[in-house]
Each structure stands twice: as C-alpha cells, then as structure tokens.
Amino acid sequence: MDIGGTKIAGALVDCDGTMTATTRRPTPRGTDGDTVFAAVAEVVAELAKSPLWPSAVRCGIGSAGPVDAALGTVSPVNIGAWRGFPVQARVEAELARHGARIPTVLVGDGVAMTAAEHWLGAARGHANALCMVVSTGVGGGLVLNNRLHPGPTGNAGHIGHISVAFDGEPCACGGRGCVESIASGTAIARWALAQGWTPAGDATAAGAASAAAAGDPVALAAFDRAGRALAAAIAATATLVETDIAVVGGGVAAAGDTLFGPIRTHLASYATLSFVTDLRVVPATLGTHAGLIGAAAAATMLLSS
C-alpha cells in the first residue's frame, strides 16, 4: 500500500519486484477519517479479486508522514482528516476481512523509497546508503549494514529536518534552518521569487528549473543554495553513519544537473574526511513505482513470512 495526499495505491508485488493487480484511488479531500479510509478499503477489495491474492504473505504500508510505526498511526500533513489515525490496525482488519490474515508493517514514504532503491534501484549493492525524496518536502531513509533502519517510530533518516543554517529561517516543523526550508521545491520557488525572479508562467520549482537551464541567474542561485543545503546534510549523515552513496529522487530531482551539479560541487567542501571523500550522489531510478515497490521491500526486510 502507498498512501499519499494525492492518491492511495496498492499492488501485489512478487519476490523479484514485479507488480501485478495494481490499482489506485484518489485520496478524498476535506472529509472525515473514515471516508479517507474507505478509499484504502476499495484498493484492498480490488486487489483481493486477483487470483494471486491467496499467495500474499505480508503487507507493507508506506504513508506520507509523520508516521508512528510503534503505534501504527499516521498524521500526514497532506491528509488533514487523519491525525493519529490507526491505519495499520485498520488495514490489517481489512485484509483479514478478505481472507488475508498476514503480518503488516508501517513505514514513512521516505523509508519506503529507501527500501525500494536498495532492493532494485540506485542503491542496490550498497550496504550503507542514504536515500531521499526532494519534492514539496524533503524526506529520506537509511540502510545500514544492508538492513533498513526505520528507527523506533519509522522516521529515522528524515534528512529534511536536519538544520544546516543555525541562524536560518524558521521551518514549519518548529526548527530553524532545516534542509526542507531551503531545498524543497516550495522553498526553491519561494526564495527565487523573493530575490526578484520573474517566472514565465510557471512559478513553481519546475519553472525555476527551466529558467535555470536557460541561464537565469536568480533561478541558478536558488538551485545552488538548495544544492549546498543538501550537500551539507548528505555529508553530515555520511560522517555520522558512514554511508557511501546518497540517492536523490522526487520531483525536484527531475531538474537533473541543475540540482545535482551544485550538490556535487558543494559536497567537496563538506565531505572532507578520508572515510567520506568517496561519497557518491546519484539520481533515484524507480520513479513513481518506488512507493509500492518500497512498501513491499520494507515488508520483506522488516517482517518474516
């Protein structure tokens, strides 16, 4: 299961990562918690029609956060009707209602993406990796010693809320100078506009990326600033736990070298100790499939059948 503010998706995922019976529903807006969950129930019911349904052995639930894996609850910023919502227990009951009494695990969407990229994507073969999503927000997850490391509540590796500017602007999380407040798509566009960027119709980070690619100095500066923040956080993480690769996905990463160029340039100034100088930063490879593949990968890595 992949639960986000835009869509709720499900799939049956084979042991080689092949997805079948994929289905999705739009996430209901402005309703109560049970109405939102009804879309989840519809996805489960659709999957249960597959002839492969009786073969299901475990279920991973990747959700927008914050999540609390210890309690099985979620309070997604972009699903206002869910605050402390017991999604894991509700999904387990729905699975059982369709004859699948199987173990489940709940992880944040950044952790799910990390599990996916380590299993089948850009972090494959790396025992220690940081994977991150740079989009409307900035999230991430860790693989340490070839094991997914979600932490007690499922939020370990949430790189977006590492502070990289101690006197920086306040972040929505309550902190100050967080990576997310500098490098998210929203932050990139906001800073560029405040510095005098005049968008040609598209005032989002995608528009800023196009302007940067065309040589606009303000848009270039906005991505350089974001890349520096990301580089500082990636280097700090690598220094702390000795990751040797950072995989970056999400909508902002679609800017390509406009984002990756500054990250790699600034990384040389932050990753200076001998055990992190070979740290690589690469694009994620699984794209929109990462959520579902990652939820399955997390279930495989964290649960026994």
Side-chain angles (χ1 to χ4, degrees), residues 99-128:
R101 298 184 181 278
I102 55 177
T104 65
V105 68
L106 170 66
V107 295
D109 50 7
V111 174
M113 175 265 192
T114 299
E117 290 292 336
H118 183 258
W119 183 23
L120 297 173
R124 188 173 187 175
H126 290 265
N128 301 287

Side-chain angles (χ1 to χ4, degrees), residues 65-80:
V67 307
D68 189 329
L71 297 176
T73 61
V74 297
S75 303
V77 173
N78 49 11
I79 305 179

Side-chain angles (χ1 to χ4, degrees), residues 27-118:
T27 304
R29 296 278 184 181
T31 58
D32 61 275
D34 286 340
T35 301
V36 176
F37 187 77
V40 178
E42 289 176 9
V43 168
V44 173
E46 188 70 23
L47 295 177
K49 296 176 183 177
S50 168
L52 295 174
W53 179 255
S55 302
V57 293
R58 60 181 74 89
C59 175
I61 307 162
S63 176
V67 307
D68 189 329
L71 297 176
T73 61
V74 297
S75 303
V77 173
N78 49 11
I79 305 179
W82 279 5
R83 290 295 172 265
F85 189 82
V87 69
Q88 186 172 358
R90 293 286 297 270
V91 167
E92 286 178 350
E94 202 62 31
L95 292 169
R97 196 166 74 84
H98 291 279
R101 298 184 181 278
I102 55 177
T104 65
V105 68
L106 170 66
V107 295
D109 50 7
V111 174
M113 175 265 192
T114 299
E117 290 292 336
H118 183 258

Side-chain angles (χ1 to χ4, degrees), residues 143-251:
V143 170
L144 302 177
N145 296 323
N146 275 318
R147 296 178 64 87
L148 191 64
H149 182 75
T153 66
N155 294 287
H158 202 336
I159 192 171
H161 296 289
I162 289 178
S163 178
V164 292
F166 71 88
D167 58 351
E169 64 182 81
C171 178
C173 75
R176 182 176 290 275
C178 292
V179 174
E180 184 169 295
S181 69
I182 299 171
S184 70
T186 306
I188 290 170
R190 182 177 66 244
W191 188 87
L193 289 166
Q195 299 303 309
W197 172 51
T198 303
D202 183 356
T204 68
S210 296
D216 184 287
V218 177
L220 282 166
F223 273 91
D224 184 76
R225 179 173 179 264
R228 184 177 182 184
L230 291 166
I234 290 167
T237 303
T239 302
L240 188 65
V241 294
E242 291 198 59
T243 51
D244 60 11
I245 191 168
V247 177
V248 184

